[in-house]
Amino acid sequence: MRKPKIVILGAGYGGLMTAVSLQKLVGQNEADIVLVNKNDYHYETTWLHEASAGTLHHDRVRYEIRDVIDRNKVEFVQDTAVQVNKEEKKVILEKSEINYDYLVIALGGESETFGIKGLKEYAFGISNVNSSRQLREHIEYQFATYNMEEDKKDERLSIVVGGAGFTGIEFLGELTNRVPELCHEYDVDFHKVKIICVEAAPTVLPGFDPELVNYAVSQLERKGVEFLIGTAIKECTPEGIFVAKGEDEPREIKAGTVVWAAGVRGNSIIEKSGFEAMRGRVKVEKDLRVPGFDNLFIIGDSSLFINEEINRPYPPTAQIAMQQGQTCAKNIAALIRNKTDLDQFKPDIKGTVCSLGEDDAIGVVYGKKLTGAKAAFMKKVVDNRSLFMIGGVPLVLKKGKFNIF
Ligand code: FAD
Ligand code: NAD
């Protein structure tokens, strides 16, 4: 009898968790499992703010996919997915095509620029290893160039961060630790450097615990960050940005580096493949399948899963993507054994920890508020835990964060 073919697109948190769970749940004779990813490595998206600021080398945030999968059970294909043809049960890749019986789309998200002029062209993002490496190098270039010019351009040393969500704040935490090192390395006066965070909402980290938000703001201000709250980025240019508060006329802020960290949307393949989506995210059923398609799962940042208590989608997080990967694997294992009783996904939110640099953080873990060293310790526990869930102790020993005290 022909074995069913399970294809997983994306080896991020959701896709890799699906693959390593499936390889435990499904026998070699039960199914063919194929994992497709554009790179031969997985990167820890949740560590990219460190690679972007230059506080952690980009090689530390990635590892070989082949090292964590069971190659007897999972075939790895390095290729880029272009489109899904759900009627013909086929995925178009850049170099080939692949048919499936069951498909898991776990391609993550993309930066949401809301159509704001100039952002795609001139702002840097924190989305993957390439963008993080480029941002780190760009900031270093600005510092290296400053003293080379007779007519000093102080705006070279101005860095604007758009968005004070978790990504923006975590990046600022790393950046404020890195800037004194850069000043020392490139003989630049620290007082010439400006770090500005622009946030459209009336507060930093909208929706998060106000006491912890105040802690984060005062720690970052102490390290030199200027916050422009209730102020939106309206345009990005090669020279900087235009911002406006409410209905005020936009004003220019000149800056050599603009970082856009103000939101994510689903992978563009979702819309290209004709799925009904909201900002590139497909509202999935409780068993994580796409409505109307019994063999098609979407998980992670390209999916939208409703929190029924508040009737709003859960935020796109690694925590949820990994848990979805586990449920998705269980459900596919059930389907190939002709079972119809599938698991209903129920997120088990253990908490949220937001780093403010290597040595500081804020968080709520199991309902308990944490700040400072305790929260920073917890952040490293969370980071190590995600390695453990994918690759067990060997991966933690290889890539883990042990500078915990
Ligand atoms: P990803 O982990 O992004 O993986 C997608 C994979 O698909 C990647 O391997 C990518 O290379 C691959 N891919 C993309 N397009 C293609 C294609 N066309 N063809 C083939 N392969 C493709 N969440 C938390 O819970 N806790 C945190 O502390 C946290 N910190 C974060 C810090 C930062 C700086 C950022 C940016 C996000 C953070 N998040 C955090 C959010 C979290 O990273 C995402 O929600 C999570 O990565 C989503 O997982 P995913 O599996 O959907 O996608
Ligand atoms: P986000 O959507 O959570 O935050 C974006 C911020 O940008 C918002 O505060 C928004 O008001 C602001 N913004 C939007 N348009 C703007 C404009 N024109 N000008 C200025 N500000 C503007 O995005 P994010 O921070 O990238 O987070 C994405 C997801 O990843 C979230 O679900 C988040 O929970 C998760 N994440 C979690 C962690 C963590 O747990 N430590 C870290 C990073 C990201």
Side-chain angles (χ1 to χ4, degrees):
M1 208 175 77
R2 191 180 75 85
K3 284 191 277 179
K5 188 168 189 171
I6 305 163
V7 174
I8 304 162
L9 299 181
Y13 291 101
L16 204 47
M17 194 69 220
T18 308
V20 297
S21 304
L22 267 175
Q23 72 192 16
K24 288 182 199 135
L25 292 171
V26 171
Q28 225 167 326
N29 297 324
E30 281 187 292
D32 289 324
I33 306 170
V34 181
L35 174 64
V36 180
N37 196 66
K38 61 163 73 157
N39 309 301
D40 59 0
Y41 59 83
H42 160 94
Y43 51 84
E44 296 286 303
T45 309
T46 60
W47 304 10
L48 287 178
H49 53 289
E50 299 171 65
S52 303
T55 47
L56 191 69
H57 192 272
H58 54 264
D59 283 338
R60 282 290 315 279
V61 314
R62 61 178 170 176
Y63 55 82
E64 292 276 323
I65 290 165
R66 287 191 178 90
D67 286 352
V68 292
I69 54 171
D70 177 347
R71 286 182 246 172
N72 294 317
K73 286 192 176 168
V74 179
E75 181 195 349
F76 174 63
V77 173
Q78 185 182 351
D79 206 341
T80 300
V82 178
Q83 200 173 328
V84 175
N85 185 334
K86 43 197 185 310
E87 281 71 34
E88 289 181 33
K89 295 193 200 169
K90 187 164 81 178
V91 183
I92 319 287
L93 305 174
E94 257 175 25
K95 291 183 259 182
S96 64
E97 290 184 359
I98 188 164
N99 293 301
Y100 62 83
D101 296 298
Y102 297 96
L103 180 67
V104 182
I105 303 181
L107 292 168
E110 291 175 7
S111 173
E112 170 64 281
T113 52
F114 306 106
I116 297 170
K117 201 173 156 197
L119 279 177
K120 282 201 173 121
E121 293 81 358
Y122 308 118
F124 292 85
I126 304 176
S127 324
N128 51 46
V129 168
N130 291 328
S131 72
S132 295
R133 188 165 41 197
Q134 186 195 30
L135 171 55
R136 187 207 71 210
E137 293 242 336
H138 175 83
I139 294 173
E140 286 199 14
Y141 174 80
Q142 296 293 356
F143 276 75
T145 308
Y146 182 72
N147 278 328
M148 293 294 292
E149 291 169 330
E150 219 161 279
D151 184 14
K152 299 260 181 298
K153 296 188 183 74
D154 286 357
E155 57 269 24
R156 278 200 187 280
L157 306 175
S158 293
I159 303 167
V160 168
V161 177
F166 287 107
T167 304
I169 293 300
E170 290 202 322
F171 176 66
L172 287 165
E174 298 301 322
L175 190 65
T176 49
N177 282 354
R178 179 72 181 130
V179 160
E181 288 173 7
L182 285 171
C183 289
H184 181 70
E185 216 170 313
Y186 293 100
D187 304 308
V188 166
D189 177 2
F190 178 77
H191 298 101
K192 296 271 181 202
V193 181
K194 270 193 190 166
I195 304 175
I196 301 160
C197 178
V198 184
E199 168 56 54
T203 168
V204 162
L205 295 175
F208 203 51
D209 182 276
E211 195 188 332
L212 296 178
V213 171
N214 284 342
Y215 176 90
V217 169
S218 66
Q219 291 294 80
L220 292 172
E221 281 181 339
R222 198 174 51 79
K223 286 162 135 186
V225 178
E226 182 189 342
F227 284 97
L228 301 179
I229 302 303
T231 305
I233 292 186
K234 297 288 184 188
E235 187 182 341
C236 187
T237 68
E239 283 77 44
I241 50 163
F242 283 87
V243 297
K245 212 174 166 101
E247 298 302 306
D248 292 357
E249 270 299 298
R251 69 178 173 97
E252 187 178 18
I253 300 174
K254 288 200 183 291
T257 307
V258 176
V259 183
W260 179 247
V264 285
R265 56 182 285 115
N267 193 296
S268 48
I269 287 178
I270 296 290
E271 281 164 349
K272 216 190 283 172
S273 305
F275 288 100
E276 198 179 309
M278 279 175 264
R279 285 168 61 186
R281 301 174 72 199
V282 178
K283 189 171 159 192
V284 291
E285 305 279 15
K286 288 206 175 105
D287 57 20
L288 303 176
R289 287 187 288 185
V290 177
F293 292 88
D294 287 350
N295 60 342
L296 213 165
F297 293 77
I298 302 187
I299 58 172
D301 282 7
S302 286
S303 72
L304 203 125
F305 195 82
I306 301 294
N307 179 348
E308 283 177 345
E309 280 170 27
I310 52 170
N311 201 26
R312 288 185 57 185
Y314 280 99
T317 65
Q319 186 173 189
I320 288 185
M322 291 182 94
Q323 292 176 11
Q324 287 182 325
Q326 290 170 318
T327 302
C328 179
K330 268 194 208 161
N331 286 347
I332 292 177
L335 285 172
I336 60 170
R337 289 166 192 154
N338 296 319
K339 293 190 181 137
T340 48
D341 186 22
L342 300 192
D343 269 14
Q344 310 286 290
F345 177 64
K346 198 157 183 357
D348 173 19
I349 309 293
K350 299 185 189 328
T352 302
V353 187
C354 175
S355 142
L356 300 173
E358 221 237 319
D359 43 358
D360 200 359
I362 51 171
V364 181
V365 181
Y366 293 114
K368 198 170 177 299
K369 288 188 213 178
L370 298 173
T371 55
K374 275 189 192 156
F377 170 79
M378 195 44 79
K379 180 76 182 167
K380 286 174 187 119
V381 171
V382 173
D383 288 349
N384 290 338
R385 185 174 179 272
S386 84
L387 294 173
F388 180 76
M389 284 171 77
I390 298 282
V393 173
L395 189 60
V396 179
L397 291 177
K398 201 167 167 191
K399 289 285 170 182
K401 294 182 176 170
F402 299 110
N403 51 339
I404 43 185
F405 296 109

